Amino acid sequence: MDYAFWTASLVVLVVGIFLLGLDHGLTREQILSNLGQNLIASVIFAVIFSWLSGRVQERSLQDSLEESFGDHAHKLASAVAQGNKEFLPDAVYPPLDPKNGEYGHRFNTDMTRSLEKTGFYAFRGPSARYVAARLRESTHYPQQVKVAMLSPGDPRAIQRRAADRVPWERFQGMDVQDLESKLRQELIITVVSLFDYRRYCPVNLLYVEDTAVHRYEIFDDSVYVAWYGSPRSRSMEMPESLRFPAGSFLYKTLRLDLLRRFDISSDKSVTFLPEQDDNFLAQHLAGVLGRTVTQADIDGWRREYDSEVEEFSDYLKSMYRDMRRIS
């Protein structure tokens, strides 16, 4: 480019000098005067050309940068959106104590919407005491129900979970032994409630040694993870919860992990089917508890469960009425 510029300049200069030399009538003063006029004209032209070309070049550079930044911004936004969907929750629910019929309206509304359109439902946590009550009030029955919870016959796991419940407000003043007994009874009536739900859908129940660090419920569209270790949840009965969409890292990981646990732990699992009667339940609980279970025991546990979840069931009925009215 430099070679072309200087070559062109030299050619023009030589041609100009040659043409100027053809006029033998010009004096030296006239030549210098004409040269001075041309220099002034050249300066004016150079200033105008430089200003115009500078504006054009600046506008071109600005357009190029805007296009480049826009493209990179779009790629960055897409990467962030993909990262959000894969690794970050799309909803967060604060912890609370269930007082005066308050169970977290936004949390239960969102979970109910997930339940009403799912074919798969799974729970894993220390105690599934509200699972059967929630499923019974639903107007849609899943095709698969899998529940992994503590065994009422596992004293060490019950002792660990009972210690976690000491700070709860409704258990203030109770000693650890009473909390252990109450939790064991809660687990027993939960098993009975899940057995009774078999009329709507087979229920796969797995007994696990849960550490009570988190609890989760999986649907086709999302997973709801309750974090017991959250700083805001330590003294709350219902911990802080997060929802992750299907396709996210946590959803895929938790769902696959739970399904594999059911596959490899057949000796710790049981399936409740519609054709089974209370004799099957009595034999199962007798094996878990290590004592004889009578029909009177089962009937009493059913009444106890209905009494335990009566307030929660009424709350769900009211919520369903509100949802139908809004829709």
Side-chain angles (χ1 to χ4, degrees):
M1 191 167 60
D2 290 341
Y3 172 78
F5 172 77
W6 289 111
T7 300
S9 299
L10 181 60
V11 170
V12 172
L13 182 61
V14 170
V15 172
I17 293 174
F18 173 75
L19 294 176
L20 187 62
L22 294 178
D23 190 352
H24 302 288
L26 292 175
T27 64
R28 186 177 64 177
E29 288 76 9
Q30 289 175 325
I31 294 175
L32 293 176
S33 176
N34 290 335
L35 183 60
Q37 292 176 0
N38 290 329
L39 286 174
I40 295 173
S42 298
V43 169
I44 296 174
F45 170 78
V47 170
I48 296 175
F49 179 80
S50 176
W51 179 73
L52 292 175
S53 64
R55 290 196 59 187
V56 171
Q57 192 173 27
E58 183 181 356
R59 187 181 302 113
S60 176
L61 179 61
Q62 185 176 0
D63 292 342
S64 177
L65 288 174
E66 286 181 355
E67 182 179 357
S68 178
F69 278 124
D71 183 55
H72 287 296
H74 177 72
K75 291 180 180 179
L76 178 61
S78 299
V80 171
Q82 181 63 29
N84 287 349
K85 183 178 180 181
E86 190 165 355
F87 297 106
L88 298 180
D90 59 7
V92 179
Y93 310 94
L96 59 87
D97 280 323
K99 299 177 181 178
N100 303 320
E102 173 57 42
Y103 292 89
H105 188 70
R106 187 166 65 91
F107 171 79
N108 281 285
T109 300
D110 291 347
M111 183 173 287
T112 298
R113 291 195 177 105
S114 296
L115 177 59
E116 289 300 311
K117 57 186 178 183
T118 192
F120 175 85
Y121 171 79
F123 171 94
R124 178 175 176 180
S127 172
R129 68 185 186 275
Y130 290 130
V131 168
R134 185 183 299 280
L135 293 173
R136 286 189 315 195
E137 298 301 330
S138 174
T139 59
H140 168 80
Y141 304 124
Q143 300 300 308
Q144 296 184 70
V145 172
K146 296 182 178 294
V147 177
M149 53 174 271
L150 292 178
S151 169
D154 188 345
R156 293 184 61 186
I158 290 175
Q159 183 181 20
R160 172 66 266 180
R161 181 54 182 157
D164 292 336
R165 293 186 171 190
V166 171
W168 290 8
E169 183 175 340
R170 70 186 180 109
F171 292 146
Q172 293 295 315
M174 293 182 63
D175 58 32
V176 177
Q177 288 74 22
D178 291 338
L179 289 176
E180 292 177 15
S181 177
K182 187 173 182 62
L183 176 57
R184 184 178 297 105
Q185 190 71 8
E186 178 184 305
L187 295 173
I188 293 173
I189 65 176
T190 297
V191 174
V192 175
S193 69
L194 294 172
F195 175 80
D196 289 343
Y197 188 75
R198 78 198 187 284
R199 295 190 297 268
Y200 305 98
C201 171
V203 177
N204 299 118
L205 176 61
L206 174 65
Y207 296 117
V208 294
E209 296 177 344
D210 197 285
T211 56
V213 174
H214 66 277
R215 181 194 75 230
Y216 59 82
E217 296 178 68
I218 303 177
F219 304 87
D220 284 340
D221 65 348
S222 55
V223 57
Y224 294 76
V225 182
W227 182 24
Y228 291 109
S230 168
R232 299 193 297 166
S233 304
R234 291 173 183 168
S235 61
M236 297 289 188
E237 186 169 343
M238 294 187 170
E240 180 179 10
S241 299
L242 306 94
R243 184 182 67 190
F244 294 85
S248 65
F249 168 78
L250 199 61
Y251 179 92
K252 291 183 288 187
T253 301
L254 293 179
R255 179 163 178 161
L256 180 60
D257 176 74
L258 186 66
L259 292 176
R260 289 189 175 183
R261 287 182 182 275
F262 273 90
D263 290 339
I264 65 178
S265 304
S266 57
D267 57 323
K268 298 180 180 179
S269 65
V270 62
T271 300
F272 297 141
L273 301 172
E275 59 269 20
Q276 297 167 350
D277 57 15
D278 284 355
N279 290 327
F280 178 88
L281 177 60
Q283 294 176 6
H284 171 71
L285 286 175
V288 172
L289 300 176
R291 66 177 179 86
T292 302
V293 174
T294 66
Q295 185 63 49
D297 292 331
I298 294 176
D299 293 338
W301 289 332
R302 284 193 174 109
R303 291 191 295 270
E304 185 177 349
Y305 181 80
D306 290 339
S307 175
E308 181 75 19
V309 300
E310 181 179 8
E311 187 178 80
F312 180 67
S313 297
D314 291 341
Y315 166 77
L316 291 178
K317 289 184 176 69
S318 174
M319 185 183 65
Y320 270 104
R321 287 194 297 268
D322 292 341
M323 292 175 65
R324 285 193 293 268
R325 184 170 63 251
I326 293 174
S327 62

